[in-house]
Amino acid sequence: MQLIECPWCGPREEVEFHYGGQAHVAHPENPADLDDEQWAHYLFFRDNPKGLFAERWSHSAGCRRWFNAVRDTVTYRFHTVYRPGEPRPQEGPVPS
């Protein structure tokens, strides 16, 4: 069982968390101006790197808050977690 560090509750078992996708995806400024292809790209296309990646997570069985994490997609190891609104840590190359 892997422990994930919740920024509010501390370390908890992984079964308490829910993956929320890629972090730092900007919402389109004028969504109504996008054509179908552009809207589909915003909704469905995400990076899928091998290595460090910024992700969103929810402590769904705990405080129910969202937070961001930098996780290695090869080893599954969490390198750091941080609250929404905090700057993304500069820990090596982290794709958007």
Side-chain angles (χ1 to χ4, degrees), residues 7-46:
W8 291 275
C9 304
R12 299 291 191 267
E13 293 183 357
E14 65 184 304
V15 295
E16 292 188 18
F17 295 89
H18 180 80
Y19 177 74
Q22 181 176 346
H24 310 290
V25 176
H27 190 273
E29 193 170 312
N30 295 308
D33 294 341
L34 301 180
D35 63 28
D36 289 345
E37 184 176 346
Q38 292 169 319
W39 185 246
H41 192 271
Y42 165 72
L43 290 176
F44 302 114
F45 286 63
R46 295 292 180 256

Side-chain angles (χ1 to χ4, degrees), residues 18-25 54-58 66-69 84:
H18 180 80
Y19 177 74
Q22 181 176 346
H24 310 290
V25 176
E55 304 171 325
R56 298 179 66 226
W57 286 82
S58 171
W66 285 91
F67 63 93
N68 295 322

